[in-house]
């Protein structure tokens, strides 16, 4: 049954299939696979194996007859479809291919063979990989700021699995929510990731469907800048401290001023008394000077007058006038002296003045 020309692998597969099938059940017609999921754009293949004479075979995709195999000749509806025939004896193997499959071809794939073989149906599922975009692009955020990133996927079929990667590590799925909506016969989805910005890193949003060998991704660079100094707090602190200091200064100032005024008052009183003292001292000195002067001048005329009482009586008014002036001086001086020195005029010494000044203070 097996000839040398059957050594190529497709034929071996067909034979294996048939042998297995015929070995188990006496199946004369097999279609494999019965379910196929492929990514849009790829080629999909189905194998039909028939034991016995196969005159006529048809392939129908989603209700359209697309390919006929008649007496080892292949007739196709479009060059998107093709078939290869391997046969040996009464075993015929047909490999049906749909090239660059699209969502339009997904659905039942029916292979029918003329005669008692009937038909077999396989299911074709076509997935679609769309786009992934993290909205907003590269970002610069402040440390500890809550960051919200949106990853939008569109034109996927079925709904893609969306995940996030931060600095090469998978992000906890509790940190993001993904919602999807149908857009015609495909889906858009939005995944929202929320986290606290800690350090500069890259964030990647991945979207995938089962047939994708590598997920589609979009990544952004997240630059985390240190939190700026909170000037408001600093300013508030400075202002309040400053205000307090100012208040304290004001109070101190008021107290100082009050004290100064009181002191001034005291000083004034002191001054006054000092002035009084000084005056008295001056007058004392004056008095002393005057007295000394008087002693020199006043007393002499007085003495003269007194020396010559007869003259007074004799000379009359003029002389008496002059003497009276002197006497008046003498009286004033003596009066001042009385005020200043409590009238103890007998000891006409400097020491005597000092003693008397003390008395005044008391
Ligand atoms: C169909 O047959 C070919 C050749 O025998 C084999 O390479 C391929 O894997 C088969 N396809 C399926 C889906 O079984
Ligand atoms: C984001 O930043 C990375 C690294 O600096 C850079 O390579 C990339 O072009 C940037 N992307 C955009 C959209 O600006
Ligand atoms: C995701 O949605 C759930 C329920 O609506 C909510 O409790 C949770 O906080 C959301 N998480 C994020 C990261 O938005
Ligand atoms: C899906 O995404 C595409 C591309 O972003 C947009 O044009 C379309 O309006 C979206 N559809 C829905 C239902 O949001």
């Amino acid at each position: 049954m097996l000839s040398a020309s059957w050594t190529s692998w497709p034929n071996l597969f067909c034979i294996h299939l048939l042998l297995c099938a015929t070995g188990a059940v006496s199946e004369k017609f097999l279609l494999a696979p019965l379910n196929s999921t492929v990514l849009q754009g790829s080629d999909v293949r189905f194998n039909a194996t028939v034991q016995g004479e196969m005159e006529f075979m048809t392939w129908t995709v989603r209700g359209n007859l697309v390919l006929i195999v008649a007496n080892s000749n292949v007739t196709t509806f479009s060059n998107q479809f093709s078939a290869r025939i391997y046969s040996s004896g009464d075993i015929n193997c047909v490999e049906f291919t749909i090239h660059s499959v699209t969502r339009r071809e997904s659905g039942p794939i029916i292979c029918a063979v003329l005669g008692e073989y009937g038909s077999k149906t396989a299911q074709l599922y076509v997935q679609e990989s769309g786009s992934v975009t993290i909205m907003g692009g590269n970002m610069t955020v402040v440390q500890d700021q809550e960051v919200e990133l949106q990853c939008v996927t569109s034109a996927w079929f079925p709904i893609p699995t969306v995940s996030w990667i931060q600095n090469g590590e998978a992000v906890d799925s509790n940190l993001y929510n993904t919602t999807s909506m149908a857009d015609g016969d495909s889906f858009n989805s939005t995944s929202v990731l929320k986290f606290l910005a800690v350090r500069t890193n890259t964030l990647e949003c991945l979207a995938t469907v089962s047939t994708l060998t590598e997920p589609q991704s979009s990544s952004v660079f997240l630059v985390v800048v240190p939190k700026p100094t909170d000037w408001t707090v600093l300013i508030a602190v400075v202002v309040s401290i400053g205000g307090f200091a100012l208040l304290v200064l004001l109070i101190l100032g008021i107290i100082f001023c009050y004290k100064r005024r009181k002191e001034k008052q005291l000083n004034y009183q002191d001054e006054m008394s000092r002035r009084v003292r000084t005056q008295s001292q001056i007058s004392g000195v004056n008095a002393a000077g005057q007295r000394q002067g008087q002693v020199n001048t006043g007393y002499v005329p007085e003495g003269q007058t007194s020396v010559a009482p007869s003259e007074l009586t004799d000379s009359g008014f003029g002389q008496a006038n002059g003497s009276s002036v002197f006497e008046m001086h003498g009286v004033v001086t003596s009066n001042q002296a009385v005020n200043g020195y409590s009238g103890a005029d007998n000891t006409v010494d400097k020491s005597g003045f000092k003693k008397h000044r003390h008395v005044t203070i008391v």
Side-chain angles (χ1 to χ4, degrees), residues 187-260:
F187 294 95
N188 287 358
S189 68
T190 304
S191 185
V192 179
L193 169 68
K194 285 179 190 168
F195 64 100
L196 285 183
V198 177
R199 61 200 163 95
T200 294
N201 56 32
T202 45
L203 279 136
E204 207 176 349
C205 175
L206 304 179
T208 192
V209 284
S210 63
T211 55
L212 262 184
T213 47
E214 285 279 311
Q216 296 268 55
S217 71
S218 168
S219 56
V220 292
F221 200 61
L222 186 79
V223 177
V224 177
V225 295
K227 208 190 272 188
T229 322
D230 200 343
W231 290 111
T232 51
V233 167
L234 198 69
I235 287 166
V237 165
V238 164
V239 162
S240 51
I241 287 177
F244 183 71
L246 222 66
L247 197 74
V248 167
L249 271 176
L250 203 71
I251 290 168
L252 283 176
I254 288 169
I255 291 171
F256 184 70
C257 281
Y258 181 72
K259 272 192 167 174
R260 273 289 292 267

Side-chain angles (χ1 to χ4, degrees), residues 9-14 17 32-33 36 45-47 86 93 95:
W9 59 267
N11 294 345
L12 282 174
F13 182 86
C14 282
L17 248 183
S36 186
R45 292 182 174 85
F46 294 93
N47 292 322
Y86 310 96
C93 193
E95 186 186 57

Side-chain angles (χ1 to χ4, degrees), residues 49-308:
T49 309
V50 179
Q51 189 182 25
E53 200 176 335
M54 188 198 77
E55 286 177 13
F56 203 81
M57 179 189 272
T58 62
W59 289 88
T60 304
V61 176
R62 275 188 102 176
N64 297 318
L65 181 59
V66 296
L67 188 138
I68 296 167
V69 181
N71 297 317
S72 301
N73 293 315
V74 175
T75 308
T76 175
F77 153 77
S78 125
N79 57 10
Q80 193 192 1
F81 309 99
S82 68
R84 290 203 294 175
I85 308 156
Y86 310 96
S87 52
S88 174
D90 64 343
I91 297 171
N92 299 285
C93 193
V94 175
E95 186 186 57
F96 172 67
T97 305
I98 305 174
H99 303 276
S100 293
V101 72
T102 69
R103 298 275 307 284
R104 285 192 305 274
E105 286 83 61
S106 64
I109 307 292
I110 302 163
C111 178
V113 178
L114 185 67
E116 292 181 338
Y117 299 98
S119 67
K120 300 279 177 189
T121 303
Q123 288 296 331
L124 173 63
Y125 301 95
V126 178
Q127 295 187 341
E128 199 175 342
S129 150
S131 64
V132 182
T133 313
I134 295 180
M135 307 309 280
N138 287 348
M139 288 176 89
T140 300
V141 295
V142 172
Q143 196 170 12
D144 293 338
Q145 183 187 322
E146 192 185 46
V147 179
E148 189 180 304
L149 286 178
Q150 268 194 16
C151 177
V152 173
T153 71
S154 61
W156 286 78
F157 185 87
I159 295 171
T161 304
V162 177
S163 58
W164 292 83
I165 286 181
Q166 187 169 20
N167 261 9
E169 281 181 29
V171 173
D172 181 358
S173 61
N174 289 324
L175 296 176
Y176 56 86
N177 271 345
T178 309
T179 53
S180 303
M181 67 196 93
D183 177 36
D185 60 356
S186 60
F187 294 95
N188 287 358
S189 68
T190 304
S191 185
V192 179
L193 169 68
K194 285 179 190 168
F195 64 100
L196 285 183
V198 177
R199 61 200 163 95
T200 294
N201 56 32
T202 45
L203 279 136
E204 207 176 349
C205 175
L206 304 179
T208 192
V209 284
S210 63
T211 55
L212 262 184
T213 47
E214 285 279 311
Q216 296 268 55
S217 71
S218 168
S219 56
V220 292
F221 200 61
L222 186 79
V223 177
V224 177
V225 295
K227 208 190 272 188
T229 322
D230 200 343
W231 290 111
T232 51
V233 167
L234 198 69
I235 287 166
V237 165
V238 164
V239 162
S240 51
I241 287 177
F244 183 71
L246 222 66
L247 197 74
V248 167
L249 271 176
L250 203 71
I251 290 168
L252 283 176
I254 288 169
I255 291 171
F256 184 70
C257 281
Y258 181 72
K259 272 192 167 174
R260 273 289 292 267
R261 250 182 84 182
K262 252 193 146 178
E263 224 166 77
K264 256 190 186 168
Q265 274 183 349
L266 280 174
N267 276 357
Y268 180 71
Q269 287 177 353
D270 217 34
E271 185 82 5
M272 288 305 281
S273 47
R274 203 185 306 149
R275 261 187 211 178
V276 168
R277 249 182 285 140
T278 319
Q279 261 184 0
S280 26
Q281 200 172 347
I282 287 163
S283 45
V285 168
N286 279 353
Q290 268 176 350
R291 192 175 297 110
Q292 274 182 343
Q294 275 164 3
V295 166
N296 288 337
T297 54
Y299 275 7
V300 172
E302 225 174 353
Q304 278 177 347
T305 43
S306 59
V307 161

